Amino acid sequence: MQAVLNYPKIAVIRPQGSLNAANALEFERDMTTALAQNGISMLVVDLAGVEFLDSAGLMALLSTHKLALTLGRGFRLCTVAPSIRIIFELTQLDRVFEILDSEVELAAT
């Protein structure tokens, strides 16, 4: 479903296709596992390959964001397509998540 790459202290997850009720629990489990690894200070979810996002996908992202805050770790989204970004804007979740234009911006964080 997705590739997980590890940079020093940063885990990057790249989901593909749809993030919906059919796969949201697996997606959340993958994010939680990556975030819980020793030495990880930040989880970045690269949404470049995501074509569809529903409420279950949003809840998986929110739950993982909350876990990251609890663990004192960073959580970022990046490379969000305009068709997906509008979902964050309409739900005002663009105010909750830090959304980067690309992984290149990670160097500045």
Side-chain angles (χ1 to χ4, degrees):
M1 178 179 143
Q2 57 219 2
V4 178
L5 302 176
N6 287 314
Y7 298 169
K9 299 188 179 188
I10 300 173
V12 180
I13 294 183
R14 293 189 176 103
Q16 301 292 317
S18 296
L19 294 178
N20 55 29
N23 60 15
L25 288 176
E26 177 185 358
F27 175 55
E28 184 175 349
R29 185 183 64 239
D30 291 345
M31 289 189 296
T32 301
T33 300
L35 191 61
Q37 293 176 9
N38 286 334
I40 296 299
S41 61
M42 181 185 307
L43 175 62
V44 176
V45 181
D46 184 339
L47 296 174
V50 175
E51 300 163 358
F52 178 79
L53 177 69
D54 73 1
S55 60
L58 281 174
M59 287 305 299
L61 289 168
L62 277 169
S63 294
T64 306
H65 180 264
K66 183 178 178 181
L67 176 63
L69 291 175
T70 301
L71 296 174
R73 299 181 180 183
F75 184 83
R76 310 282 190 280
L77 304 178
C78 75
T79 324
V80 181
S83 59
I84 302 297
R85 186 179 286 264
I86 197 159
I87 295 169
F88 289 101
E89 292 170 359
L90 289 171
T91 58
Q92 298 185 359
L93 291 174
D94 59 328
R95 298 177 186 181
V96 173
F97 294 110
E98 184 172 342
I99 302 175
L100 308 174
D101 290 330
S102 69
E103 286 186 42
V104 175
E105 289 186 50
L106 285 175
T109 60

